[in-house]
Amino acid sequence: MSDMTHVTVIDPGFSTSIQDLGRYGYRNIGMPVAGAMDSYSFKQANWLVGNSFDTACIECTLVGPTLEFRGGCQIAITGADMRPTLDGGVVELNRTNEVKGGSVLKLEGCTLGCRSYIAIAGGFDIEPQMGSVATYTRAKVGGISGVPLSKGNALSYYVNPTAVTPRVLPQNFAIGLSNSYRLRVLRGPEFDQITSSSLDLLFREQYIVSTELDRMGCRLDGVELNHKGAADIISAPVQFGTIQLPADGQPIILLADSQTTGGYTRIANVATIDLPILGQLRAGNKISFENIDIEPAQKLFREQNSHFI
Amino acid sequence: MMNNSAHYPQFTPLGDQCLLVRFGHCISEEVNQLVINFARSVVDEDIEGIVEVVPAYAEVAVYYNALYISYSEVLTFLKKLSVTNMPEVGYQRKIVRIPVCYGGEFGPDIKHVADHNGITVDDVIKIHSAAVYPVYMLGFTPGFCYLGDMSDSISCPRKERPRLSVPAGSVGIAGGQTGIYPLETPGGWQLIGQTPLELFDAQREPKVLVRAGDAIQFHAINQAEFDEVGSTQEGGRDV
């Protein structure tokens, strides 16, 4: 039986929180799924330290935290490059890293992508709430007291320095980060409530990610799209990846913490395989959309996840 | 023999891991009964690969995991269920009684609502607490109920300037709708009272006091009763 030790948050960074793959089973009472915004990088971080894929990780946003590890362990960092260092020495992304007790891990800012995941072999010892440790701040559930990490927080884990044979992510398996992305989307339930010329524009034009961007949603700036009639619908289910079009004609992409229902027309929905890209968007990124049908989308999803089962 | 074809839903995907079963495009008791009944029957079937079922006003979202079940399998299953599982009669909504301390510090906008309608504050309370409000769905925030059937005689537009913070348990009116804020949030509803009950509590069983398919009836309580109910709940009221 290993000893219990902990990581102390020396500096929380911009917005750092405990996430897993989300809280399922409660959307019918209005509780969003939350969870890792880039589930692809999240699962890879866990694979690199031999964890089950849904093990809680630390999700870092734009500027990462500084953490002190009291006991030895193995960690892995994936996603955006926040130039992590361990006691001043460079830490490579996308591979297993040994950490000695007393070490300080420091993440800085990233210039490409947005989010980074830190996994620890054996996971953190955190009590789930409503079946998950995903932090959902609005209802104050999950993580540490239902809010992002702050200075002084202590995260418990088991000392386990030789848990797994070190691994490296195969080349080209890490998520491709860029300043410009092409998102594959399915037509939404209300796609026919926008004019056909607007539907054309949606698949032809580029949109820019605005500064109105957080874990709930992302507003896009670009060519105005028009409704045939009303812009609003009676409140209906929405999810991570649903693209809404309010009356002002600027699309909104809903993200992990979005509400479970919404009253704007749902013109499209990002395919599951491209949801992780949404977790890496930063203001100023360019987005274009490509139509994909459901069967090819599901086939690609199964292929992408065949090594995660 | 009743022609049930009008009740057959439409099916449309919402992305590649959710199928919507659509019974209409309006807010009505008739449509919502079909929604609630269908949602329950999907859950009862307990099919592997179906993750969760979310009813809304007029449609049901069936979320599934495409690693375990395909789109065409889910569609086939739901189509079959929609044919074999039509309700013969409507079900009775379970009425949940919600105590409300109206007016005063708990309902700072109640006089405005009264004046807007040319009636007294007492009238507002009487009318608001007389009705039985069907709960069509939950959404917006955990525990928030979308209620129907509020009387026009107490309707009132939202505040032009929303409050930065509305206390949890606040009961309000916005346009022709009434509702309760389960959590402290910013909000633009006209606040007419407050309930000491915690509609949502992540630590408690049940997590929510009211579900889609239920109905709510409000009843007036005084400050002393408010304090008493508030103090007998585990944990604080602060969210």
Side-chain angles (χ1 to χ4, degrees):
Chain A
M1 178 73 180
S2 291
D3 291 326
M4 199 69 140
T5 182
H6 60 269
V7 174
T8 308
V9 178
I10 307 293
D11 184 305
F14 176 71
S15 182
T16 304
S17 62
I18 300 296
Q19 298 294 345
D20 57 22
L21 287 173
R23 184 170 286 106
Y24 289 93
Y26 296 98
R27 277 182 275 193
N28 65 352
I29 62 165
M31 174 67 79
V33 173
M37 288 271 278
D38 171 2
S39 60
Y40 187 68
S41 300
F42 173 95
K43 286 188 251 190
Q44 288 175 336
N46 276 321
W47 178 78
L48 288 167
V49 292
N51 288 342
S52 65
F53 295 113
D54 197 19
T55 306
C57 292
I58 295 173
E59 175 181 270
C60 315
T61 313
L62 294 174
V63 179
T66 302
L67 306 170
E68 182 174 357
F69 291 83
R70 198 118 175 272
C73 60
Q74 290 176 302
I75 65 168
I77 307 178
T78 58
D81 186 354
M82 296 183 182
R83 293 166 295 154
T85 55
L86 199 58
D87 293 333
V90 170
V91 177
E92 300 273 350
L93 295 187
N94 303 321
R95 67 196 308 141
T96 325
N97 295 285
E98 301 295 326
V99 174
K100 288 200 196 24
S103 297
V104 175
L105 175 72
K106 184 170 152 72
L107 272 67
E108 314 217 357
C110 57
T111 50
L112 197 62
C114 178
R115 289 182 175 79
S116 189
Y117 293 88
I118 306 171
I120 191 166
F124 297 103
D125 187 46
I126 300 172
E127 193 64 39
Q129 273 200 295
M130 293 171 71
S132 162
V133 298
T135 308
Y136 177 58
T137 306
R138 194 165 183 184
K140 298 233 180 13
V141 289
I144 305 294
S145 309
V147 291
L149 298 186
S150 56
K151 182 179 160 128
N153 281 160
L155 304 170
S156 300
Y157 64 95
Y158 289 99
V159 181
N160 205 351
T162 54
V164 69
T165 314
R167 292 169 165 176
V168 178
L169 209 57
Q171 204 165 31
N172 299 325
F173 263 64
I175 191 165
L177 299 176
S178 170
N179 285 312
S180 148
Y181 297 102
R182 197 156 172 73
L183 295 174
R184 288 162 289 193
V185 307
L186 287 81
R187 288 176 159 186
E190 285 89 41
F191 85 92
D192 59 355
Q193 285 180 216
I194 63 172
T195 64
S196 53
S197 55
S198 285
L199 195 59
D200 259 357
L201 288 170
L202 178 68
F203 291 116
R204 227 190 25 232
E205 295 291 313
Q206 256 191 347
Y207 285 85
I208 312 287
V209 176
S210 76
T211 52
E212 287 176 61
L213 166 64
D214 58 17
R215 278 184 51 96
M216 277 186 73
C218 161
R219 197 177 284 269
L220 301 178
D221 288 332
V223 170
E224 193 179 299
L225 302 174
N226 300 121
H227 293 91
K228 285 177 186 165
D232 295 351
I233 58 171
I234 60 175
S235 295
V238 293
Q239 61 177 338
F240 184 5
T242 300
I243 303 175
Q244 297 177 307
L245 189 72
D248 71 0
Q250 301 297 300
I252 298 172
I253 311 180
L254 297 181
L255 303 175
D257 286 4
S258 61
Q259 294 164 6
T260 55
T261 56
Y264 296 133
T265 46
R266 300 162 292 184
I267 59 171
N269 207 107
V270 177
T272 304
I273 42 162
D274 285 345
L275 293 181
I277 294 173
L278 300 179
Q280 295 294 350
L281 294 178
R282 38 191 308 141
N285 282 169
K286 298 189 180 74
I287 305 271
S288 62
F289 296 108
E290 181 183 307
N291 196 6
I292 188 172
D293 285 336
I294 192 163
E295 260 113 10
Q298 289 192 338
K299 186 160 178 284
L300 287 169
F301 170 60
R302 284 183 204 111
E303 281 165 15
Q304 189 193 71
N305 278 270
S306 56
H307 50 281
F308 284 138
I309 294 179
Chain B
M1 176 166 134
M2 189 163 61
N3 177 11
N4 278 326
S5 62
H7 293 160
Y8 290 165
Q10 291 180 315
F11 301 88
T12 194
L14 179 71
D16 54 26
Q17 297 202 83
C18 176
L19 197 47
L20 299 175
V21 186
R22 318 183 82 183
F23 292 90
H25 293 90
C26 62
I27 301 174
S28 84
E29 179 65 29
E30 195 197 343
V31 168
N32 194 249
Q33 288 247 346
L34 293 172
V35 163
I36 301 294
N37 181 75
F38 191 79
R40 285 178 182 169
S41 50
V42 177
V43 170
D44 286 344
E45 290 290 315
D46 198 21
I47 300 293
E48 196 195 334
I50 287 185
V51 173
E52 58 191 310
V53 181
V54 180
Y57 278 120
E59 63 193 46
V60 181
V62 178
Y63 290 97
Y64 60 96
N65 187 332
L67 296 177
Y68 300 114
I69 190 169
S70 73
Y71 164 69
S72 59
E73 285 170 319
V74 176
L75 183 61
T76 302
F77 157 68
L78 292 175
K79 276 187 167 163
K80 188 153 154 236
L81 195 64
S82 72
V83 170
T84 60
N85 217 349
M86 280 297 128
E88 297 265 326
V89 288
Y91 63 86
Q92 283 293 100
R93 290 182 183 265
K94 175 186 117 196
I95 300 175
V96 180
R97 284 171 49 81
I98 304 282
V100 179
C101 194
Y102 285 101
E105 61 174 290
F106 298 123
D109 303 317
I110 199 167
K111 180 92 178 32
H112 173 79
V113 171
D115 291 344
H116 179 83
N117 288 287
I119 57 179
T120 67
V121 166
D122 273 348
D123 290 333
V124 173
I125 296 172
K126 231 188 272 261
I127 294 166
H128 189 259
S129 54
V132 173
Y133 302 97
V135 180
Y136 288 129
M137 57 187 263
L138 269 62
F140 168 61
T141 194
F144 182 85
C145 301
Y146 284 78
L147 305 176
D149 292 1
M150 192 189 80
S151 168
D152 264 339
S153 60
I154 52 172
S155 70
C156 189
R158 277 162 212 266
K159 297 184 82 62
E160 275 180 19
R161 222 204 162 103
R163 288 186 170 83
L164 289 176
S165 165
V166 171
S170 292
V171 176
I173 290 175
Q177 255 191 294
T178 187
I180 315 170
Y181 283 96
L183 305 175
E184 190 228 312
T185 52
W189 292 45
Q190 304 285 357
L191 304 182
I192 61 171
Q194 200 174 354
T195 180
L197 295 182
E198 299 212 31
L199 264 80
F200 165 71
D201 185 346
Q203 327 272 34
R204 175 190 66 197
E205 274 318 310
K207 306 276 177 243
V208 290
L209 297 179
V210 185
R211 295 186 163 266
D214 291 342
I216 281 181
Q217 185 161 29
F218 299 100
H219 67 277
I221 58 170
N222 60 35
Q223 172 87 60
E225 290 165 307
F226 182 99
D227 293 337
E228 198 193 316
V229 175
S231 69
T232 57
Q233 287 179 113
E234 281 171 23
R237 294 237 49 242
D238 302 301
V239 181

